[in-house]
Amino acid sequence: MSNTTIRIDFELTGADINFFRERLKSSQKKFGSSGEDKIMGGAEALIKRMESSRSPDFMAPRLARLREMLAMLKDPDWRLEGEDRQHVLNALSYFADPKDLVPDSIPGIGLLDDAIMIDLSVIELAPELVGYAEFCANRDELQRGMPDAEPLSVARDILQKRMRRQRRRSVRLGDWG
């Protein structure tokens, strides 16, 4: 077995991003707001498939990010609701679609589309992911009795309001999503 690594870089043009955006929109239309269980189940199924098989190393950090997105939805303390919750579900809807672009079973390339969609979802959900990470860090500090930690409800309100402001600003700037 070789320890050699090769870095492969490629750029997605506006047309490429639009292509993936259209695939995401078709998944969102298919599952809509009534498909929360299917959307979360699709993301969880991808994670389980990767954990139970010898998945490519390039997927490991992406699966960690996918786990974070799911954790945001499941965390009872974070209480992601309404439009905020739907925003995350919309970004994850691609993984509920059994007919994704490249079948996962194709060795070597079957997960490339999933990797791209996870990366694009991380960009789209940057305000949510940062806010949630800060919330979790605050909760850890609170559990350790740190005097500067905010009560959970205060931290959640501050961080979710900031997350919404950042999301509105990024949409105005024309970011993906």
Side-chain angles (χ1 to χ4, degrees):
M1 185 179 263
S2 173
N3 287 333
T4 304
T5 61
I6 297 173
R7 179 175 181 87
I8 299 173
D9 289 322
F10 59 92
E11 290 184 23
L12 296 179
T13 65
D16 298 330
I17 292 170
N18 286 336
F19 172 79
F20 283 101
R21 184 181 291 138
E22 288 305 315
R23 287 294 302 158
L24 182 60
K25 283 182 183 178
S26 74
S27 295
Q28 290 168 351
K29 285 179 189 174
K30 189 181 292 187
F31 299 103
S33 60
S34 64
E36 181 170 329
D37 290 338
K38 284 187 178 185
I39 292 169
M40 291 174 61
E44 289 169 340
L46 176 63
I47 291 169
K48 285 180 185 173
R49 280 194 313 273
M50 297 305 96
E51 289 175 339
S52 67
S53 66
R54 173 67 183 114
S55 63
D57 291 340
F58 70 81
M59 285 301 291
R62 289 167 176 88
L63 292 177
R65 298 313 303 257
L66 193 55
R67 282 188 198 92
E68 291 171 33
M69 292 177 219
L70 286 168
M72 280 194 289
L73 295 170
K74 293 180 174 185
D75 190 329
D77 294 331
W78 183 235
R79 296 184 191 162
L80 200 59
E81 299 172 343
E83 185 179 313
D84 298 329
R85 185 174 191 82
Q86 193 59 50
H87 186 69
V88 177
L89 287 166
N90 285 346
L92 294 177
S93 64
Y94 180 80
F95 306 105
D97 193 347
K99 297 178 182 174
D100 67 5
L101 289 171
V102 182
D104 295 349
S105 60
I106 298 175
I109 65 166
L111 296 171
L112 289 177
D113 62 315
D114 298 296
I116 290 169
M117 290 304 283
I118 291 170
D119 288 352
L120 291 173
S121 295
V122 167
I123 293 167
E124 170 68 11
L125 298 175
E128 288 83 351
L129 289 165
V130 169
Y132 183 61
E134 290 179 19
F135 176 79
C136 291
N138 181 80
R139 179 171 47 198
D140 290 346
E141 289 177 2
L142 196 60
Q143 290 171 347
R144 289 192 315 256
M146 303 292 283
D148 293 340
E150 295 283 353
L152 289 182
S153 61
V154 172
R156 179 181 53 247
D157 290 346
I158 290 169
L159 293 167
Q160 287 186 359
K161 284 178 185 173
R162 185 184 73 192
M163 167 188 88
R164 289 182 201 112
R165 277 193 315 272
Q166 290 173 340
R167 190 171 62 226
R168 281 192 300 271
R169 190 175 359 193
S170 69
V171 169
R172 278 197 310 265
L173 296 173
D175 284 354
W176 187 75

